[in-house]
């Protein structure tokens, strides 16, 4: 049996001056994103090189259908992956809960590709889904953070996230590293097909700006802490977003739920009118992700509906969009990027919000009740 | 302009002795299911005849991919439809929120089929999704309740649900009628292909038992009312199911949310361990749908996890499964059917539970705050 050498030192698994691993890991995201793209996205050539999938790249590009299987936070990065791959590579993608996928005789053939996403690479349901997919002849690609994990070993090919060890039970930097890798994968599937080198170059150059922009958002930590103080006693939260920011709304809600035990739920913003709006009264904080893009006006009208029912509005908005300030109780202004890259920015204030609310409520953020870091039972 | 004659009388839009339209409509479900299959599912021949799709049946059967677009409760019946069509017809199905689908350059071709589901046939986002799909050459099939509605007129072909007029804002009989029609559609796509006449006959015969079984569940109304009294002051609820019952968990949670304003959320049961389990303490009621099927043992272990965190367990279980009684605070035993037909049964006690809790809390169940019967703005 081969021995895998650990590639990180003991210092990295200490808190390095932060109060909690989770906060340290949130602050490590500029580096996690950078490390996950370094040597892979070539900004001058307008190309992406992913050694772990090179042998299978033709089969991947010719996939009739891609099915992404994951659980929890990785399922949310899978949803971002669906939007990315459909947008850039124009291959139909479906995202499945691994636990559901494996039990319902999935329709799979050798023309299909299954992508399994798991930080630990040990998630039991995801591992079982991989085995089912392989038995049916699909090509299986793994996206894991832990080198040599079961999923990394059992997949046909893969791409590691380079987030470094994640200790906090609620995943943060693993999510942004997964999304970074999914951007690279979408570009690899698109180059010389649906995207020109010029287009790829533009996207990669925007991608290279992200670590700096994430740092700018982290610098808003104090402001987000002040906002957390106002909302720490809320009993419920809604998170709403559209398009690429819909999965971020789900992820923001999951973070709050996991570590603060507040019942938070994410929805695509337009679904609010089909039910959840009944929950809204003066006690309900609603977080909108409303960066400037093609659906901006729709989100503004959703915000106005919540206001007219006296809901408490928090908005993640674009830098410079000061018009929105008068519609909300709190606005966090963050830098913009190309729309498909926005999840890597919009998720950051939501992680910090969840963190501060949980700490203010006296919760053990690194070891939330009832949760395990990796779910290795079914 | 042709005049469509209304096919229902004034008596049908009165409450007929029930306290609310919603309760009347819940109790009309045996008839709504029966009416939606009558003359269409032929139990002796083992065949399904759907006049509204006859002209397009070859193109439907040869679809490379089916995309179901809907909002709210119709989106949940769409999820059941995905499971039904994949199980029986072995055609890959994806379910999209209509509001999300239309804004992200959907990948569609003339080999694809889009199914639009809407009770009113006027849902703005669904209508816009249809127009997008038609512009891209996909065949569009509508499933509506209101004859001559916009969606009925703009689709290439369609199947009406025969639920009769639905007045309560929270949809009940429209949901079961939609699922009934989706069963018929799945069978129509499967006959002479993936299912033999014998197999189809077995399914249709089981389907014909459903109105009677739904009536048996409605007879548990008093028992469900007693249970509602115990949980009426809960602030939150979780609903968990697997497979065909996962969409029912979502729908049960939506009903409670819509009319009682309790924050209820549905999840695939196995996802509980990836976050929502952190919410569970002695104040959290958790509704499990745990009928006897292949994933029964998995659900039992999920129930035990909730119990060990002191959550309050309510179970919808199979008739005769008395072993489960000792694991739960309340058990509602209901008749079984073939697994793919179970959503038509398991949803009924959840509708009644939501109804009684809302009435006990003094909510206006027929006109819940903030909600409209059909969402005709985007």
């Amino acid at each position: 049996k081969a021995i895998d050498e650990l590639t990180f030192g003991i210092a990295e698994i200490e808190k390095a001056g932060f109060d909690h691993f989770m906060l340290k890991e949130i602050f490590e995201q500029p580096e996690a994103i950078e490390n996950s793209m370094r040597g892979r996205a070539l900004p001058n050539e307008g190309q992406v090189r992913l050694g772990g999938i090179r042998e299978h790249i033709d089969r991947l590009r010719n996939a009739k259908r891609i099915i992404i299987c994951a659980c929890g936070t990785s399922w949310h990065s899978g949803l971002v992956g669906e939007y990315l791959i459909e947008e850039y590579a124009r291959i139909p993608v479906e995202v499945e809960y691994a636990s559901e996928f494996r039990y319902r005789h999935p329709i799979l053939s050798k023309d299909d590709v299954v992508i399994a996403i798991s930080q630990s690479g040990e998630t039991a349901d995801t591992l079982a889904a991989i085995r089912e997919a392989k038995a049916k002849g699909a090509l299986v690609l793994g996206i894991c953070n832990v080198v040599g994990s079961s999923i990394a070993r059992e997949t046909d090919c893969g791409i590691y996230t380079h987030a470094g060890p994640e200790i906090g039970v609620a995943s943060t930097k693993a999510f942004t590293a997964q999304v970074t890798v999914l951007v690279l994968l979408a570009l690899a599937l698109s180059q010389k097909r649906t995207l020109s080198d010029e287009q790829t170059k533009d996207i990669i150059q925007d991608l290279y700006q992200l670590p700096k922009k994430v740092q700018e958002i982290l610098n808003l930590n104090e402001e987000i802490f002040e906002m957390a103080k106002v909302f720490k006693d809320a009993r419920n939260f809604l998170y709403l977003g559209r398009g690429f920011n819909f999965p971020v709304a789900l992820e923001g809600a999951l973070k709050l739920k996991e570590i603060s035990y507040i019942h938070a739920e994410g929805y695509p913003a337009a679904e609010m009118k089909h039910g959840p709006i009944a929950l809204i009264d003066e006690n309900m904080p609603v977080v909108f992700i409303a960066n400037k893009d093609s659906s901006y006006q729709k989100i503004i009208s959703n915000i106005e509906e919540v206001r007219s029912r006296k809901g408490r509005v928090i908005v993640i908005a674009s830098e410079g969009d000061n018009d929105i300030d008068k519609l909300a109780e709190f606005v966090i202004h963050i830098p913009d990027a190309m729309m498909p890259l926005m999840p890597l920015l919009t998720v950051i204030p939501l992680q910090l919000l969840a963190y501060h609310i949980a700490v203010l409520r006296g919760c053990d953020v690194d070891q939330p009740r009832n949760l395990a870091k990796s779910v290795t039972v079914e």
Side-chain angles (χ1 to χ4, degrees), chain A residues 236-302:
Chain A
N236 297 275
F237 258 84
L238 285 181
Y239 287 70
L240 302 173
R242 296 181 79 119
F244 281 93
N245 284 321
F246 156 52
V248 176
L250 296 180
E251 175 62 8
L254 181 61
K255 283 309 94 159
L256 191 65
K257 195 182 278 181
E258 284 178 310
I259 59 171
S260 77
Y261 322 138
I262 295 173
H263 191 176
E265 189 173 8
Y267 260 101
E271 276 292 299
M272 183 182 73
K273 290 197 289 295
H274 295 277
I277 198 171
L279 295 180
I280 292 169
D281 61 18
E282 67 282 3
N283 299 312
M284 178 65 92
V286 185
V287 179
F288 284 94
I289 309 170
N291 296 78
K292 286 261 186 180
D293 78 320
S294 57
S295 63
Y296 178 75
Q297 279 308 326
K298 306 266 172 193
I299 286 268
I300 295 297
S301 79
N302 293 142

Side-chain angles (χ1 to χ4, degrees), chain A residues 11-23:
Chain A
E12 287 176 62
I13 59 171
E14 286 172 356
K15 288 186 203 161
F18 287 94
D19 287 345
H20 299 93
F21 283 114
M22 184 180 174
L23 189 62

Side-chain angles (χ1 to χ4, degrees), chain A residues 119-133:
Chain A
Q119 188 282 129
S120 68
E122 304 294 344
T123 312
D125 280 320
T126 309
L127 197 52
I130 288 174
R131 290 172 186 158
E132 175 83 19

Side-chain angles (χ1 to χ4, degrees), chain A residues 149-198:
Chain A
S149 58
S150 300
I151 290 176
R153 281 182 282 113
E154 294 203 21
T155 44
D156 297 306
C157 58
I159 313 170
Y160 281 114
T161 50
H162 294 156
E166 190 177 64
I167 310 296
V169 166
S171 191
T172 53
K173 65 178 182 170
F175 175 80
T176 41
Q178 286 167 352
V179 173
T180 304
V181 160
L182 286 161
V183 172
L184 302 183
L185 175 62
L187 294 178
L189 297 177
S190 308
Q191 63 196 20
K192 319 280 183 206
R193 274 181 69 247
T194 47
L195 291 180
S196 66
D197 286 357
E198 268 322 294

Side-chain angles (χ1 to χ4, degrees), chain A residues 44-212:
Chain A
N44 300 323
E45 293 86 337
Q47 285 189 25
V48 166
R49 289 202 194 132
L50 297 165
I53 62 169
R54 194 169 40 205
E55 273 180 55
H56 297 279
I57 191 69
D58 289 334
R59 200 167 155 196
L60 290 167
R61 285 181 184 156
N62 292 315
K64 290 263 188 306
R65 206 161 63 104
I66 294 175
I67 297 107
I68 300 179
C69 283
C71 303
T73 289
S74 300
W75 188 80
H76 297 157
S77 67
L79 287 177
V80 179
E82 173 182 22
Y83 281 59
L84 284 165
I85 294 171
E86 292 202 346
E87 172 85 10
Y88 287 145
R90 310 301 290 158
I91 301 171
V93 179
E94 182 158 17
V95 187
E96 299 266 4
Y97 292 106
S99 62
E100 286 292 303
F101 175 78
R102 51 182 292 217
Y103 284 109
R104 61 183 176 97
H105 320 120
I107 304 169
L108 281 177
S109 76
K110 61 175 182 34
D111 295 327
D112 297 321
V113 167
V114 171
I115 300 176
I117 308 177
S118 164
Q119 188 282 129
S120 68
E122 304 294 344
T123 312
D125 280 320
T126 309
L127 197 52
I130 288 174
R131 290 172 186 158
E132 175 83 19
K134 283 178 77 174
K136 298 214 168 186
L139 181 75
V140 183
L141 186 161
I143 297 178
C144 306
N145 194 43
V146 176
V147 176
S149 58
S150 300
I151 290 176
R153 281 182 282 113
E154 294 203 21
T155 44
D156 297 306
C157 58
I159 313 170
Y160 281 114
T161 50
H162 294 156
E166 190 177 64
I167 310 296
V169 166
S171 191
T172 53
K173 65 178 182 170
F175 175 80
T176 41
Q178 286 167 352
V179 173
T180 304
V181 160
L182 286 161
V183 172
L184 302 183
L185 175 62
L187 294 178
L189 297 177
S190 308
Q191 63 196 20
K192 319 280 183 206
R193 274 181 69 247
T194 47
L195 291 180
S196 66
D197 286 357
E198 268 322 294
Q199 289 173 302
T200 308
K201 192 183 284 187
D202 286 348
I203 299 163
I204 293 175
Q205 284 175 349
D206 220 38
L207 193 58
Y208 267 85
Q209 302 306 311
L210 290 184
K212 187 170 60 69

